[in-house]
Amino acid sequence: MHFRRIAGWLLVLFLPVFLVAQSWSASGPPNFILIFADDLGYGDIEPFYDDCPFKTPQLDRMADEGARLTNFYVPTPYCAPSRGTILTGRYPFRHTVMSNPAPDAGATNFGLPQSEITIAEALKPLGYATAAFGKWHLGHKKQWLPRTQGFDEYFGILYSNDMFPVQLVRNETVAEYPVAQSMLTQRYTAAALRFIESNKDRPFFVYLPHAMPHKPLAASDDFYTPETREDLYADVIAELDWSVGKILSKLKELDLDKRTLVIFTSDNGPWYGGSTGGLRGMKGRAWEGGLRVPLIARMPGVIPPGVVNHEPAASIDVFPTICTLAGAPIPKDRIIDGIDLMPMLKDAGASSPHEAIYGMQGNNLATIRSGKWKLHVRNPGLPRFHRLSPEEKAQYVDPRGPDGVTILAPYEQAKVYQHPGLTSGVEPSSMMLFDLEADRAEQYDVADQHPEVVERLLAAFRKTEAEVPELPVPESGYLFREPGPGEPRALMRLIGGELRYDRIPESQKHLIDEKAPDMDSP
């Protein structure tokens, strides 16, 4: 009797995996390419915004040949937590990366725990070759590097491309320092193409988290347009679009496109110079402009051409979508917040699998989206730099901007007066309710007209909020003394060339706190 129960349990657990695997037996298992742009706004590419200021013919083609999700959300309006979520299918409060590691600010003692299961780790038991090319930002010390999380191969920058020291890492070794950032998009694309070619006869997963259009913006000579130096952002988008085209062409050349799912999306909304496509806010804020991003998925023969689905979905759904298509079992020992997106990708009329989708601000749950409604339980805040006058904005100098020494990128960076989203509308406050079907730009708070909706959403919010743990604040590895009254906190201009984060230039050593911890300790 006991044996029969165990056998029955195993059949229930693995029969779906077996059936999916059987369905691919004729052509081989599916491949996966996840292209994750950095700070690319909802309105930065043409398929999502009729008045897009940039030209993206390759992404247009990808959208025409596949599916678009127009209400697709990331869990936070900034980098690292969003990356942890798309790789694990779990909200940041579950995978615990709720802020950005930054070596030059002392945020160096945390990363994605090895206990988390990434897409790469889920696919490895099925014989997949796995690689990541680009920005990691889930821990830059050895215990959190990409090859501890299921990737066979890594090449890229371990954090944002404006954080000192900017250095290219191959696997666990610094490959280049300093870095000419104008070549990053081309180099990451070339690495992905080489990997696809080398693994064409076995299933593969390529994670391609591009550096662009995160600041500092940079484009290669093939895309830089000196006659329009004020519009470097357009050059950067054109090169990203080119990259997508090269990958799609390589798949077709190798006769792999019909069994390769390619997903293109972004980690959060845009920085200055980009476009939210008429949404309010930007990166760093929980308005739609910070949390809503484009998603395009293409797999000819599986995803019909031209699907446009307007139902809410989220980056938590990417992990279970890939696992289900590959026949990899979904982990049962933890909460996976995502649900398979394939029904939405195949059918414009398919409903959202979610009763609610949540957004975070820092360590706190901040928003809930359910159907057409969005409730800001927490105040999303005023625009960044709102206290600066127009003259001060024009003269603002980014402390992490190109410096000609270690951050090597064009000087024509977007200015902080080039806000990418709407700044108009109701004064921000807590408990604002928006009808996103009628008011996608979040201009009119309708909480007073719909108290029953507020009550329903708030009850769901509080239930999920109760699951958010109180995690200890990671100990800072900051080496410098605390600034005096009125003094700004100095960034550490760390020297690269090694995987260590305590090498300070002579010019900054007078700032070192004698009691500072060792930043390079595990």
Side-chain angles (χ1 to χ4, degrees), residues 104-127:
D104 57 3
T108 195
N109 293 323
F110 63 97
L112 186 68
Q114 291 188 11
S115 58
E116 292 295 322
I117 299 173
T118 67
I119 296 171
E121 289 174 303
L123 295 178
K124 287 292 289 180
L126 302 183

Side-chain angles (χ1 to χ4, degrees), residues 68 304 306-311 343-351:
R68 278 178 285 161
V307 173
V308 181
N309 192 303
H310 301 296
E311 288 283 297
M344 290 181 65
L345 298 175
K346 290 182 175 182
D347 181 2
S351 299

Side-chain angles (χ1 to χ4, degrees), residues 495-514:
I495 299 173
E498 301 176 44
L499 276 187
R500 53 185 292 190
Y501 302 98
D502 59 352
R503 290 159 35 107
I504 309 297
E506 290 292 334
S507 59
Q508 285 195 311
K509 285 186 175 177
H510 68 285
L511 299 172
I512 291 179
D513 185 341
E514 293 180 358

Side-chain angles (χ1 to χ4, degrees), residues 61-226:
R61 176 167 68 93
M62 183 179 174
D64 289 343
E65 296 173 351
R68 278 178 285 161
L69 301 185
T70 65
N71 281 269
F72 187 79
Y73 289 89
V74 291
T76 60
Y78 36 86
C79 302
S82 184
R83 291 160 195 279
T85 288
I86 204 165
L87 286 176
T88 66
R90 286 154 56 84
Y91 281 115
F93 66 83
R94 300 198 202 280
H95 64 64
T96 73
V97 180
M98 292 190 282
S99 58
N100 290 337
D104 57 3
T108 195
N109 293 323
F110 63 97
L112 186 68
Q114 291 188 11
S115 58
E116 292 295 322
I117 299 173
T118 67
I119 296 171
E121 289 174 303
L123 295 178
K124 287 292 289 180
L126 302 183
Y128 276 74
T130 59
F133 304 116
K135 175 178 175 177
W136 179 239
H137 217 179
L138 290 171
H140 45 264
K141 290 190 174 181
K142 61 182 179 181
Q143 62 266 42
W144 300 303
L145 297 185
R147 297 211 303 171
T148 71
Q149 296 287 3
F151 291 99
D152 299 326
E153 187 176 329
Y154 174 71
F155 178 67
I157 296 170
L158 292 171
Y159 28 82
S160 291
N161 60 312
D162 67 342
M163 294 177 178
F164 301 100
V166 180
Q167 52 190 5
L168 279 168
V169 173
R170 178 170 283 108
N171 296 334
E172 295 82 39
T173 304
V174 175
E176 188 173 311
Y177 170 81
V179 177
Q181 297 205 27
S182 61
M183 294 304 296
L184 285 178
T185 299
Q186 292 211 8
R187 294 179 74 176
Y188 293 161
T189 304
L193 294 174
R194 176 194 53 75
F195 187 83
I196 293 167
E197 180 82 44
S198 299
N199 292 281
K200 62 182 183 294
D201 296 324
R202 63 179 294 194
F204 59 78
F205 167 52
V206 175
Y207 175 48
L208 183 54
H210 274 295
M212 298 296 142
H214 193 284
K215 69 178 181 73
L217 301 167
S220 69
D221 284 348
D222 289 337
F223 291 89
Y224 178 73
T225 55

Side-chain angles (χ1 to χ4, degrees), residues 329-360:
I330 305 294
K332 303 296 185 184
D333 62 343
R334 65 200 64 206
I335 293 173
I336 300 296
D337 295 293
I339 301 173
D340 181 12
L341 279 177
M342 196 55 72
M344 290 181 65
L345 298 175
K346 290 182 175 182
D347 181 2
S351 299
S352 172
H354 298 285
E355 285 296 320
I357 292 170
Y358 298 93
M360 296 187 71

